[in-house]
Amino acid sequence: MHDPFPIPPSAWLSKAVQPFADRVGFTTLPLHIHEVVVAFIGYYFINIVLSPWISNLLVPDKYNKLSRERKINWDVHVVSLCQSTLVNALALWVMWADEDRKNMDWQQRIWGYTGAAGMVQGLATGYFLWDLVVTLQNVRVFGLGMLAHAVSALIVFSFGFRPFVNFYGCTFILYELSSPFLNFHWFFDKMDMTGSRAQLYNGIMLLFTFFSCRLVWGTYQTVRVYQDIWAAIHHQPAGTGIHMDALNNSTTAARDAAAGKSAAPIHGDIMRFAGEEYVPLWLAFTYLGSNIVLNTLNFYWFGKMIETVRKRFQPPKEERRKQKATAAMATGANGRVTIELDETEVRRRKVAEALEEPLGAAI
C-alpha cells in the first residue's frame, strides 16, 4: 500500500535530506521527510500557540492560575491528546487496509517496506522528535524517565527508515491507545474534578487500555519482534551465492541470479529497499535495548497509575482512622459520663453513604 501523501523524490525537501539519509543509512527517509517535518512543526504550533489560545478561551480561570511549570505540562498534555488520537486512527486504518502488510513473512517484517506504514512512522518520528526537544528544554519538569522514553522512542521509530522492522511501526504505536485516557485523567485533576464519577470511569478505561495495549499486546509483540530479529541475525542472505539452476536457463531469474540477486521471487515491491538482508549486531542490540527500556517504563508506570487512581477514590489514612469508630455518649448510674464505640454502626453508615453520594473523596 502506497503512502496516501507521497512526496516526489525530486522535491527540494527530499534532496536536502538525501545526504544525511545516505550517511546514516535511512534509505526511505527522503520519501517521508515531509511527514516528519509537518508533524514536528504541527505539534510545536499546538504546544506554543494553539493550546495556550484554546485554554485561555475555554478555561481562563484555571489556566491563568497555573505556574509556569504547570502551564508547560498542560500544553504538553494537549499535544499528547491530539497526537495520540490522530496516530492511533491512522495506525488502525493502515493495519486494516494495507493488504501487503498483512501478508508479510518474517523477512518482510524485518526488511520489508510499505508506503502507508512509512507514513505512520514518519508522523510518529516527528512527534517523538518534538517530544525529545521539549523534554530536553524542560528536563527538570518532566524528569529523566520521560527523557529516556523520548530518546528510546525516537531511536526505535527512526530505524524504520533503514528500513528495519517497518512492519512493527504501526504495531508499537498502538501503545498510544491509552494516552487519551491518561491525558483526560490529568485534566480532571486540574479542573477540580478529582474523585468525580467521570474521572472514575475514565480511570477504569485508562487502566484497561494501558494494561491491554502496553503490557499484554506490547509484551506479545515484543516477543514476536525478538523472534524475527533472532531469525534475521542467523539468516544467510540469498544474494551471497548464485543459483546454478537459474544460470542454466535464459530467464529473468537467471539474470537476477547472475547479478547477485536471489533467484527466489522475494525481492518484489515490498523488498525493494531490503539491500543485503543483513542485521548488524549493533542495530539489533540498540533496537532491542530501546524496546526493553520502553517496556520496563510501561510496567513501572502501570504500578504508579494504579496507585494514583486508587488515591483519587480513597480517603487519607487520618480520615479513615477517624471514621473507623463512632462514639455514643451515655450517663451511668453513678453520674459519670461514658463513651461507647460502635464500629459496626460506622461500617453500616459508610456503606449507606457510598450508595447515596458520588464516589470518591478529593485528596
Side-chain angles (χ1 to χ4, degrees):
M1 182 176 176
H2 296 294
D3 187 341
F5 312 104
I7 182 174
S10 58
W12 69 269
L13 191 56
S14 292
K15 290 182 178 179
V17 79
Q18 189 68 59
F20 171 78
D22 293 339
R23 189 176 304 114
V24 298
F26 289 174
T27 308
T28 63
L29 179 60
L31 301 178
H32 300 284
I33 185 60
H34 61 300
E35 287 151 346
V36 176
V37 172
V38 167
F40 178 83
I41 295 176
Y43 293 133
Y44 223 103
F45 176 79
I46 294 173
N47 182 28
I48 64 177
V49 178
L50 192 59
S51 175
W53 178 73
I54 291 180
S55 301
N56 274 303
L57 184 66
L58 298 180
V59 286
D61 294 339
K62 300 293 183 184
Y63 185 75
N64 291 326
K65 290 180 180 179
L66 296 175
S67 64
R68 177 184 175 276
E69 290 75 14
R70 289 185 178 274
K71 280 186 178 179
I72 292 173
N73 219 340
W74 177 291
D75 295 333
V76 165
H77 276 81
V78 172
V79 177
S80 176
L81 179 61
C82 296
Q83 184 268 347
S84 57
T85 303
L86 172 65
V87 79
N88 284 331
L90 289 173
L92 289 171
W93 173 70
V94 169
M95 294 174 71
W96 174 74
D98 192 347
E99 296 296 330
D100 294 329
R101 182 184 179 279
K102 289 180 182 178
N103 298 319
M104 286 183 175
D105 56 25
W106 76 263
Q107 290 173 270
Q108 293 169 335
R109 289 196 297 268
I110 293 293
W111 296 291
Y113 162 85
T114 69
M119 171 202 65
V120 173
Q121 193 153 345
L123 295 175
T125 301
Y127 169 75
F128 289 122
L129 181 60
W130 166 86
D131 186 37
L132 177 60
V133 172
V134 171
T135 304
L136 285 171
Q137 291 175 337
N138 305 279
V139 69
R140 296 179 65 179
V141 176
F142 299 111
L144 295 178
M146 289 301 297
L147 180 61
H149 178 273
V151 172
S152 299
L154 182 60
I155 289 174
V156 165
F157 279 88
S158 295
F159 282 152
F161 294 121
R162 290 183 65 89
F164 176 69
V165 294
N166 174 264
F167 170 90
Y168 286 100
C170 293
T171 300
F172 287 119
I173 202 63
L174 292 186
Y175 279 3
E176 296 292 321
L177 281 171
S178 63
S179 294
F181 302 104
L182 177 62
N183 290 308
F184 279 125
H185 183 85
W186 190 89
F187 283 122
F188 281 137
D189 281 344
K190 301 304 173 286
M191 296 296 293
D192 296 330
M193 297 178 65
T194 302
S196 64
R197 287 186 181 274
Q199 191 180 52
L200 172 63
Y201 300 146
N202 181 80
I204 293 172
M205 289 302 300
L206 168 60
L207 293 177
F208 172 75
T209 53
F210 196 100
F211 178 79
S212 57
C213 296
R214 292 184 180 244
L215 303 191
V216 177
W217 169 262
T219 302
Y220 168 68
Q221 294 298 333
T222 296
V223 171
R224 289 192 62 194
V225 74
Y226 283 9
Q227 292 173 336
D228 286 346
I229 292 178
W230 179 261
I233 291 174
H234 295 83
H235 174 62
Q236 294 295 328
T240 57
I242 297 177
H243 197 290
M244 299 308 297
D245 291 337
L247 287 176
N248 294 328
N249 297 290
S250 178
T251 63
T252 301
R255 291 191 295 273
D256 287 344
K261 298 181 180 179
S262 171
I266 63 172
H267 288 272
D269 190 56
I270 293 176
M271 299 290 283
R272 64 186 183 275
F273 299 115
E276 297 179 354
E277 297 182 22
Y278 165 71
V279 176
L281 287 179
W282 71 263
L283 177 59
F285 282 117
T286 302
Y287 183 90
L288 297 181
S290 299
N291 195 282
I292 289 174
V293 170
L294 293 175
N295 281 282
T296 302
L297 288 172
N298 285 334
F299 278 92
Y300 170 76
W301 282 333
F302 185 68
K304 302 296 287 185
M305 286 166 54
I306 292 177
E307 180 181 347
T308 300
V309 171
R310 180 177 56 82
K311 286 181 178 179
R312 297 295 187 272
F313 304 95
Q314 179 176 313
K317 291 182 178 179
E318 292 184 4
E319 185 178 338
R320 293 201 302 271
R321 282 198 295 267
K322 292 178 181 178
Q323 295 172 347
K324 185 176 181 181
T326 185
M329 187 172 64
T331 304
N334 57 2
R336 298 181 62 183
V337 177
T338 60
I339 298 177
E340 298 177 356
L341 301 179
D342 185 358
E343 297 185 7
T344 304
E345 178 64 22
V346 172
R347 286 193 292 270
R348 283 199 298 266
R349 287 183 184 177
K350 297 307 294 181
V351 171
E353 291 172 1
L355 293 175
E356 293 174 3
E357 299 177 0
L359 292 174
I363 297 176

